[in-house]
């Protein structure tokens, strides 16, 4: 059943393992292949070929009207940058360099525009803020949502905005057992 397959797809990809991988590598070699396989899995689940705009919306978190499917190639640079900032103190002691020397190249990364405040400020904090990655990813996804809605017109833009309203996609976060009593038919 399509709805059950979608729920299983969302919950079986090992989010924490993927986040560990994207935080560990500045350029993950198989990211685009993973994203392609994820898109094919989505299309097989819903039995429908997704357009690029549909795929862009599916990659957004549920709170932004998406399906919550993690795009590894999209968030790789943001997650890596946040990880480097959060571990700057430890890395500077291990490498015997200053946090400032480590922070300078990080400030030039394109993903640094999604940080709530400057890279140097976060890197020099002791202990670093644990919510840095969450806040940065929220800013990243807000920008993705704004880009998507500005590229659409009329009814399509309105649908995406309505899907992002609180509670609109609550059925996506329901446990599978609860969904059994309220499953949509495959065409729905």
């Amino acid at each position: 059943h399509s709805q059950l397959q979608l729920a299983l797809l969302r919950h079986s990809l090992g989010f924490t393992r993927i986040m560990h991988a994207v935080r560990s590598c500045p350029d993950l070699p198989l990211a685009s292949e993973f994203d392609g396989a994820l898109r094919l899995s989505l299309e097989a689940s819903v039995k429908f070929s997704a357009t690029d705009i549909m795929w862009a919306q599916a990659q957004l978190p549920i709170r932004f009207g998406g399906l919550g499917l993690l795009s590894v190639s999209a968030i790789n640079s943001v997650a890596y940058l946040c990880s480097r900032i959060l571990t700057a103190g430890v890395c500077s002691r291990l490498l015997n360099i200053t946090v400032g020397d480590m922070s300078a190249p990080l400030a030039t990364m394109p993903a640094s525009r999604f940080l709530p405040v400057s890279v140097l400020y976060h890197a020099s904090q002791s202990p670093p803020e644990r919510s840095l990655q969450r806040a940065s990813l929220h800013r990243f996804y807000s920008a993705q949502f704004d880009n998507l809605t500005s590229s659409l017109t009329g009814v399509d833009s309105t649908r995406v905005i309505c899907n992002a309203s609180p509670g609109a996609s609550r059925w996506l976060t329901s446990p599978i057992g609860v969904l059994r009593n309220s499953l949509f038919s495959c065409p729905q």
Side-chain angles (χ1 to χ4, degrees), residues 128-176:
E129 274 186 45
R130 295 286 174 208
S131 61
L132 174 65
Q133 181 168 303
R134 184 179 315 162
S136 299
L137 285 174
H138 182 78
R139 285 174 175 239
F140 170 77
Y141 283 124
S142 292
Q144 296 292 94
F145 178 77
D146 292 343
N147 289 341
L148 178 64
T149 55
S150 67
S151 69
L152 300 173
T153 57
V155 175
D156 293 330
S157 177
T158 305
R159 279 189 192 130
V160 172
I161 292 169
C162 287
N163 284 339
S165 64
S169 300
R170 186 163 291 169
W171 65 275
L172 283 171
T173 59
S174 299
I176 293 173

Side-chain angles (χ1 to χ4, degrees), residues 2-21:
S2 296
Q3 194 172 357
L4 291 174
Q5 288 177 347
L6 181 60
L8 287 171
L9 178 65
R10 284 190 56 247
H11 292 77
S12 66
L13 293 176
F15 180 80
T16 53
R17 287 188 297 270
I18 292 171
M19 285 304 293
H20 175 72

Side-chain angles (χ1 to χ4, degrees), residues 84-86 88-89 99-100 103 106 118-126 128:
R84 286 290 306 268
I85 292 170
L86 291 173
V99 172
S103 300
L106 297 179
S118 76
V119 174
L120 294 172
Y121 172 76
H122 275 292
S124 63
Q125 277 189 332
S126 179

